[in-house]
Amino acid sequence: MSVPFIDLKRFEDGITEQYTAKVNEITKNTQFIGGKEVEQFENSLKTDNSVEFAIGCANGTDAIQLALRACGVGPGDKVLLPDLTFWATFEAVVNVGAEPITVDVDLQDLQMDFFLFQEAVEKFKPKAAILVHLYGWTSQYVYEFRKYAKEKNVLLIEDGAQSYRVKVNNESIYKNAYISTISFYPAKVFGAAGDAGAVLTNSKELAERVRSLGNHGRELHYSHGLVGWNSRLGNLQASYLNINFPYLNNRIQSRRRIAERYRNDLKEFQVHTTPGLKSLDGTILKSSKTGIQIEENGYLNVILIENAKREKLIEHLKKHQIGYGIVYPEAVSEQKGAKPYLKHKIGGENAKRITQSVINLPLFPYMTEEEYEEIIKVMKSF
Ligand SMILES: *Cc1c(COP(=O)(O)O)cnc(C)c1O
């Protein structure tokens, strides 16, 4: 029996019908740009995350660029980011003309190392930093990052592309961020029918700048106060996201259940998670140094295994037709594309070590019992 790494086709009955009806309606009205679907979606985002402002945009990469530009980050400015993240975080910094500096990650939670971050702030005096919430959880120091950044006047942008419905002390991870970004790429936990993204903030001023930048710097239809670009969220995408919103709870529950079962059933492997993680029954698995309680969204399963063994495990999984991922195979600072832009990095080689030892097992909503048991059987026979 084969099990895919991810199967986007496991969505609930009725979604295609609802979407087809919306496509018909929107096409008849030719209301493709802007309109009530986008408005409804932005309102749902605000309510769901207890933030003041939500602005839809074209994708998660643009969302970071919009946030950076709205914060006034541009040529000559230094921006810190973790050495372990999706490449888009780095691209966004370079695309706004700023200078990226990578910060190594913490081996406990695999997120940007807070102590190295402080060191980097002192050493480089950056204008901004991007804190990425990777793997479906966050840093146990997330509050400390925010507090320290504020004290030092470093504009902290949170790349929450992977962290929809991650909760910190029972609140949305996005709630108390200065400005945060989301991706609705179909393979994220909350996926659109194509590309889509959003920026969330509690600042009216930032929200207005984001909205204007993503709509040709508009003040009025033909009055342009800024040079932005076109990064609008389309009405069709928004309608698909609106239709999917009510199903999100079930999907996240399904993901979290699988994530938790992996931890319980694969004790001989190092199924990784963050200190402070709250399991489904409310217990804290490994207490955090900061006392924080983190609820995961089950975005990815993360296993760390020594490199030589990983090669063998990959062979074994391939032989038994079990899908797997390597998220990510290279640290940001090791990427060929980073060379022309990366003048400084801080910390050691933790990110590199993780890339050499990480492997991800299948994790998607509505995985069947048979599929799950097959994965466990194959893993136990390794
Ligand atoms: C997916 C992702 C992005 C980019 O989002 P897109 O919608 O694909 O542009 C940015 N950062 C992280 C951490 C991501 O996982």
Side-chain angles (χ1 to χ4, degrees):
M1 179 189 191
S2 76
V3 185
F5 175 56
I6 183 170
D7 184 3
L8 295 179
K9 292 186 227 59
R10 307 286 171 101
F11 51 77
E12 301 79 359
D13 289 342
I15 288 194
T16 31
E17 291 77 5
Q18 290 178 69
Y19 186 49
T20 310
K22 277 291 173 195
V23 170
N24 280 328
E25 180 195 314
I26 290 166
T27 308
K28 273 184 198 142
N29 299 334
T30 66
Q31 254 224 345
F32 300 116
I33 307 290
K36 71 176 196 338
E37 296 290 341
V38 173
E39 236 168 74
Q40 184 190 325
F41 182 58
E42 289 177 343
N43 281 330
S44 302
L45 281 179
K46 284 195 287 186
T47 316
D48 200 35
N49 298 290
S50 311
V51 291
E52 299 284 332
F53 304 94
I55 304 100
C57 67
N59 56 65
T61 312
D62 270 11
I64 307 169
Q65 286 171 206
L66 286 166
L68 285 164
R69 287 280 312 273
C71 288
V73 177
D77 293 328
K78 293 186 172 71
V79 180
L80 307 179
L81 75 153
D83 201 12
L84 190 68
T85 177
F86 180 57
W87 184 237
T89 319
F90 186 87
E91 282 178 314
V93 175
V94 173
N95 284 340
V96 302
E99 191 189 307
I101 297 170
T102 55
V103 179
D104 203 11
V105 296
D106 179 341
L107 284 177
Q108 289 256 319
D109 54 28
L110 315 182
Q111 318 288 310
M112 181 153 66
D113 186 305
F114 175 61
F115 302 95
L116 286 174
F117 168 78
Q118 288 175 293
E119 219 179 293
V121 167
E122 294 300 332
K123 186 165 174 196
F124 298 109
K125 308 271 183 270
K127 171 144 187 177
I130 305 181
L131 178 63
V132 183
H133 306 302
L134 210 62
Y135 296 131
W137 61 79
T138 184
S139 166
Q140 61 177 314
Y141 296 101
V142 58
Y143 289 149
E144 282 72 17
F145 271 106
R146 288 172 182 167
K147 194 162 160 263
Y148 187 78
K150 199 168 171 192
E151 271 169 28
K152 299 284 168 176
N153 286 319
V154 175
L155 302 164
L156 191 68
I157 292 146
E158 302 191 24
D159 176 352
Q162 305 184 0
S163 61
Y164 204 89
R165 284 284 169 89
V166 168
K167 289 189 181 164
V168 182
N169 292 350
N170 290 322
E171 292 181 325
S172 163
I173 179 101
Y174 307 119
K175 184 182 168 188
N176 299 309
Y178 176 62
I179 188 165
S180 60
T181 65
I182 312 174
S183 164
F184 301 103
Y185 175 74
K188 306 274 153 116
V189 292
F190 188 9
D195 283 310
V199 179
L200 306 182
T201 180
N202 293 314
S203 155
K204 184 160 186 274
E205 192 190 325
L206 283 178
E208 279 170 0
R209 280 174 66 83
V210 167
R211 193 171 297 284
S212 174
L213 285 165
N215 191 16
H216 301 296
R218 273 194 170 110
E219 286 169 349
L220 299 166
H221 193 69
Y222 285 123
S223 163
H224 307 276
L226 297 164
V227 172
W229 68 104
N230 173 3
S231 182
R232 294 178 299 239
L233 171 65
N235 230 6
L236 281 169
Q237 288 305 336
S239 78
Y240 186 80
L241 288 160
N242 284 332
I243 291 164
N244 280 268
F245 231 127
Y247 301 98
L248 208 53
N249 272 347
N250 272 340
R251 291 182 198 168
I252 301 283
Q253 273 305 101
S254 174
R255 283 181 177 275
R256 291 182 66 195
R257 224 173 280 131
I258 301 161
E260 189 152 312
R261 287 181 76 183
Y262 274 139
R263 281 194 294 272
N264 292 332
D265 295 341
L266 295 176
K267 291 236 158 74
E268 61 276 43
F269 291 89
Q270 215 187 319
V271 180
H272 210 91
T273 184
T274 179
L277 190 93
K278 203 161 100 177
S279 61
L280 287 170
D281 69 8
T283 56
I284 301 292
L285 293 175
K286 187 162 69 171
S287 64
S288 62
K289 290 197 186 75
T290 58
I292 201 175
Q293 297 196 3
I294 298 167
E295 261 178 49
E296 66 189 331
N297 65 7
Y299 178 55
L300 280 179
N301 158 268
V302 178
I303 288 175
L304 299 178
I305 183 169
E306 59 186 89
N307 193 261
K309 258 177 124 180
R310 183 172 76 173
E311 297 311 309
K312 292 198 183 93
L313 180 59
I314 289 173
E315 283 314 307
H316 184 70
L317 292 170
K318 277 186 179 160
K319 191 173 123 203
H320 292 92
Q321 300 179 57
I322 304 295
Y324 66 92
I326 306 278
V327 181
Y328 293 98
E330 264 189 296
V332 170
S333 60
E334 300 270 312
Q335 295 282 356
K336 191 168 130 230
K339 284 216 170 64
Y341 304 104
L342 195 66
K343 296 203 194 83
H344 307 283
K345 61 180 279 191
I346 196 154
E349 306 262 284
N350 286 350
K352 189 173 177 180
R353 276 171 65 190
I354 293 162
T355 62
Q356 288 168 345
S357 61
V358 68
I359 185 160
N360 317 91
L361 293 177
L363 209 176
F364 50 85
Y366 312 128
M367 180 187 286
T368 67
E369 192 57 32
E370 292 70 33
E371 286 172 326
Y372 180 77
E373 277 165 14
E374 178 71 13
I375 298 163
I376 298 300
K377 195 182 86 191
V378 171
M379 289 298 284
K380 297 269 181 200
S381 69
F382 175 63

